[in-house]
Amino acid sequence: NQLRTYLEEAGHEIVFRSSEPGWGVQKFLSTGKINDLAGADHAVVALGGNNFKLEEDRYFPQIKDFIKVLRDQGIEKIVWLGPFESDSVTKASVQDRHQWTADFLASKLPKDRNIFWIDMRPFSKGGPWRDGVHFKRDKYQEMTDAIAQQVVKSIGYPLILLRPHRTVTFWTGL
């Protein structure tokens, strides 16, 4: 929801939205949740760091399948928001997983196929966290404000938005 105002002001309309806490790429693929995106041309993906298969040969095929599902439905551009920082003292294993996932995606997402990467770690560094992983609403809004213009610039009309906390929102130009 944090990007909604920015996107609507830029002329986008929501055509679908889904928030699925804890879901990663594989869960979206296995449930078919992203298989009916009629009317959407662009996507913003923010799936966080709920990737428990920290092996390139297992994770990269899932990423490619996810992108293929979007492309097969006519998605032209994808803005991919990386996972946030976590508290490395209280949630070290989560931080390690988020770092691995962010580094992996930054190096592997195809940059020549209209996929735009935004590393969320600099915006979330230092928290403050509610529980070592998640933030209060004010911090999410602060991070959204910091990236909103980059997101709007990277997309066109219409847009699909998967916002932080694994939310899927589909937008279409007015």
Side-chain angles (χ1 to χ4, degrees):
N1 277 341
Q2 286 91 353
L3 281 172
R4 179 182 210 135
T5 301
Y6 290 102
L7 296 168
E8 287 177 340
E9 287 174 359
H12 298 285
E13 175 185 300
I14 297 172
V15 296
F16 179 81
R17 180 179 178 275
S18 174
S19 178
E20 307 299 342
W23 283 27
V25 171
Q26 183 57 41
K27 187 69 170 183
F28 274 101
L29 289 170
S30 68
T31 61
K33 189 89 173 177
I34 60 169
N35 289 351
D36 186 17
L37 310 179
D41 296 321
H42 300 70
V44 177
V45 178
L47 295 173
N50 289 321
N51 163 34
F52 295 96
K53 296 179 180 179
L54 303 182
E55 300 169 16
E56 181 175 343
D57 61 337
R58 294 178 73 188
Y59 188 54
F60 195 48
Q62 293 175 6
I63 296 298
K64 290 194 298 190
D65 289 346
F66 186 89
I67 292 169
K68 183 177 182 331
V69 168
L70 297 179
R71 296 287 191 219
D72 287 351
Q73 295 181 76
I75 302 303
E76 298 169 10
K77 291 182 184 176
I78 301 168
V79 178
W80 201 299
L81 308 178
F84 300 121
E85 289 278 321
S86 296
D87 186 338
S88 60
V89 175
T90 62
K91 298 291 184 176
S93 66
V94 174
Q95 175 66 354
D96 290 347
R97 192 172 68 240
H98 286 195
Q99 294 295 329
W100 185 93
T101 303
D103 290 342
F104 178 82
L105 290 171
S107 69
K108 295 295 184 182
L109 287 174
K111 293 162 184 54
D112 60 337
R113 297 204 52 220
N114 285 326
I115 298 178
F116 305 92
W117 166 255
I118 298 177
D119 189 347
M120 294 302 295
R121 293 174 294 182
F123 304 104
S124 58
K125 192 172 185 99
W129 300 276
R130 289 181 300 160
D131 58 3
V133 178
H134 303 99
F135 305 93
K136 291 182 179 178
R137 182 181 272 318
D138 294 359
K139 180 64 175 181
Y140 284 115
Q141 190 61 56
E142 174 188 313
M143 292 185 288
T144 300
D145 293 344
I147 65 160
Q149 292 311 311
Q150 187 177 357
V151 171
V152 170
K153 181 180 174 186
S154 296
I155 62 167
Y157 299 85
L159 161 78
I160 297 176
L161 169 69
L162 295 171
R163 73 170 180 88
H165 276 67
R166 292 138 304 273
T167 297
V168 183
T169 304
F170 297 90
W171 299 79
T172 185
L174 298 174

